[in-house]
Amino acid sequence: MIKNGHHATGSDQRDEAGSSKPGASACSPEKRKRVVRLWCDGCYDMVHYGHSNQLRQAKAMGDYLIAGVHTDAEISKHKGPPVFTQEERYKMVRAIKWVDEIVEGAPYVTTLETLDKYNCDFCVHGDDITLTVDGKDTYEEVKCAGRYRECKRTQGVSTTDVVGRMLLMTKAHHSNLDNPDYQQHADNFGKGPKGHSPWTGVSQFLQTSQKIIQFASGKEPQPGDTIIYVAGAFDLFHIGHVDFLEMVYKQAERPYVIVGLHFDQEVNRYKGKNYPIMNIHERTLSVLACRYVSEVVIGAPYAVGKDLLDHFKEPRKRGIFKTIDSGNNLTTDDIVQRIIENRLQFEARNQKKEAKEMAVIEAMKRREQQDQSEAAAEAAH
């Protein structure tokens, strides 16, 4: 079981690895005289644990994190049409526990004016590159002004990879990247005509205990908490899941929500096809990032029996079963269908994106070679 804690925000103290430690203020007067405000922005389309990890790392650099989310129109202009609507994306980012505030309709190009408008000290982005429709770095202005910080991109996950898995329709995509069918999809979605970009390609995710510790805050249920248990696949963690978990969270004044995740084989048994799209390790991180979740059970049993309920409930309290309607009927199947219906469009979008990235890489290589040549010429004189 992985304990996650309630609504983790600026009140959690962070360790050197960026994970949260409950019970202490992150901004104690002894350590810091003022609150450091941070800005992150992005499309946040098909939000996965890579996005959450970027926001977690950003939050570790300060106290108050603002996430700017681009509109559908801005994304379509610079990258191509998003899978999720802007309203869906706004709600998904709000549900990530490290985010303190979101800005709807944030500009695609990050400027000093934006940072000043929201009183942010600096902007944080991953160590990949984001380009406009004209191939320009969207963070150039804040970089030049020294108000830019960088965090590590999460290896092994990308929207490119997730889309490829949906279209592959085989169960081999979690464990065998040498599969020729999978490699074909990796090429279609993650390789432009002039080479392979390190920012858009497909790689394999490796779970570590350290990553789980960083995502989980380890809070135990306290006296007076109401322990609520839910279980399922929670595959491709999406807005339907968020709406459900938010509704669950609201069932008590002091909820302690435990999410049971079924193993991959169990999910495939009752879902069929190539489900789950994301394996048990990936689904664990996605659920742990949600602010409504307190604890995760990895490999929960499909049948919820008396023994399971007795394990979680407080002594002398009687467990009850309740059906909750979140009002959102969106399913993982619906998301997959969105991708399948727009397959060629998404392939073209990713190839166009990678072509721009490769052009930037080539330009950087030429500049580096030129600098080396000039340095060698100066040394010769």
Side-chain angles (χ1 to χ4, degrees):
M1 292 183 293
I2 305 298
K3 295 175 177 59
N4 196 27
H6 303 301
H7 291 257
T9 57
S11 62
D12 290 339
Q13 186 178 27
R14 292 168 294 277
D15 61 17
E16 293 179 357
S19 58
S20 297
K21 290 183 179 179
S25 171
C27 187
S28 61
E30 297 81 6
K31 292 186 177 181
R32 191 175 291 127
K33 293 182 179 179
R34 66 179 184 84
V35 171
V36 175
R37 292 168 64 89
L38 315 166
W39 173 271
C40 284
D41 56 30
C43 303
Y44 299 108
D45 193 23
M46 293 186 64
V47 172
H48 49 66
Y49 61 90
H51 295 118
S52 300
N53 193 38
Q54 185 248 344
L55 293 167
R56 179 194 66 80
Q57 293 180 81
K59 183 63 177 285
M61 297 181 188
D63 306 292
Y64 191 86
L65 177 61
I66 301 176
V69 184
H70 309 317
T71 63
D72 296 345
E74 280 282 271
I75 298 173
S76 296
K77 174 184 175 182
H78 294 281
K79 291 180 65 175
V83 178
F84 287 93
T85 69
Q86 59 196 41
E87 294 301 326
E88 291 172 324
R89 293 183 288 107
Y90 297 155
K91 193 159 192 176
M92 282 297 296
V93 177
R94 278 195 184 95
I96 296 174
K97 66 182 180 180
W98 295 286
V99 175
D100 296 296
E101 179 184 338
I102 81 156
V103 172
E104 300 179 0
Y108 199 82
V109 176
T110 307
T111 63
L112 294 174
E113 181 183 0
T114 298
L115 296 188
D116 292 340
K117 180 178 179 180
Y118 296 100
N119 298 315
C120 291
D121 295 87
F122 52 86
C123 165
V124 183
H125 187 65
D127 55 1
D128 54 345
I129 191 166
T130 303
L131 304 171
T132 66
V133 66
D134 301 321
K136 296 179 181 178
D137 185 353
T138 59
Y139 297 99
E140 183 176 0
E141 182 176 323
V142 293
K143 285 178 178 178
C144 292
R147 293 175 67 181
Y148 175 86
R149 302 290 185 274
E150 209 164 76
C151 59
K152 289 289 185 181
R153 180 179 181 272
T154 305
Q155 293 297 318
V157 64
S158 66
T159 304
T160 297
D161 184 29
V162 174
V163 169
R165 294 184 197 182
M166 292 185 207
L167 296 171
L168 185 56
M169 298 307 291
T170 174
K171 290 178 279 187
H173 58 276
H174 292 301
S175 58
N176 185 9
L177 288 179
D178 294 326
N179 179 295
D181 292 330
Y182 182 76
Q183 193 58 51
Q184 180 62 45
H185 281 280
D187 289 346
N188 286 346
F189 281 85
K191 184 177 290 185
K194 295 185 178 180
H196 186 78
S197 167
W199 303 311
T200 306
V202 175
S203 58
Q204 190 168 18
F205 170 72
L206 297 176
Q207 180 68 289
T208 64
S209 59
Q210 182 63 30
K211 185 63 63 186
I212 294 178
I213 290 170
Q214 289 171 347
F215 270 59
S217 53
K219 291 184 178 179
E220 299 277 355
Q222 301 300 310
D225 285 354
T226 299
I227 300 174
I228 307 172
Y229 177 76
V230 299
F234 291 90
D235 193 18
L236 287 178
F237 195 74
H238 54 71
I239 190 65
H241 297 133
V242 167
D243 283 340
F244 170 70
L245 290 171
E246 182 181 12
M247 190 65 68
V248 169
Y249 189 87
K250 291 178 178 178
Q251 297 303 302
E253 185 177 341
R254 293 181 54 184
Y256 189 90
V257 179
I258 300 172
V259 176
L261 293 178
H262 301 147
F263 278 132
D264 297 345
Q265 296 88 341
E266 186 67 27
V267 176
N268 187 255
R269 181 188 65 78
Y270 62 78
K271 286 283 289 182
K273 298 181 181 178
N274 65 328
Y275 293 111
I277 303 297
M278 304 194 93
N279 66 41
I280 184 67
H281 306 299
E282 297 170 314
R283 291 183 284 121
T284 297
L285 296 184
S286 295
V287 174
L288 281 173
C290 180
R291 66 173 66 247
Y292 305 118
V293 176
S294 304
E295 186 172 350
V296 168
V297 178
I298 302 175
Y302 182 74
V304 180
K306 182 178 180 299
D307 290 343
L308 181 67
L309 293 178
D310 287 344
H311 179 78
F312 292 125
K313 71 184 182 185
E314 294 181 42
R316 299 180 300 279
K317 275 197 174 181
R318 182 169 164 269
I320 61 171
F321 179 82
K322 187 176 183 180
T323 301
I324 296 174
D325 183 3
S326 67
N328 188 330
N329 296 321
L330 184 71
T331 68
T332 303
D333 288 331
D334 296 331
I335 297 170
V336 173
Q337 193 59 35
R338 289 188 193 185
I339 294 294
I340 291 174
E341 290 175 353
N342 298 280
R343 171 180 176 172
L344 295 178
Q345 199 171 33
F346 290 123
E347 284 185 358
R349 183 182 82 173
N350 278 281
Q351 290 180 1
K352 179 181 177 182
K353 176 177 180 286
E354 184 155 24
K356 288 194 296 182
E357 291 171 351
M358 289 304 300
V360 171
I361 290 172
E362 291 302 320
M364 291 168 63
K365 287 180 179 178
R366 288 194 297 271
R367 189 180 306 162
E368 184 179 357
Q369 291 172 352
Q370 183 178 352
D371 291 343
Q372 290 175 349
S373 298
E374 291 175 354
E378 288 181 5
H381 286 294

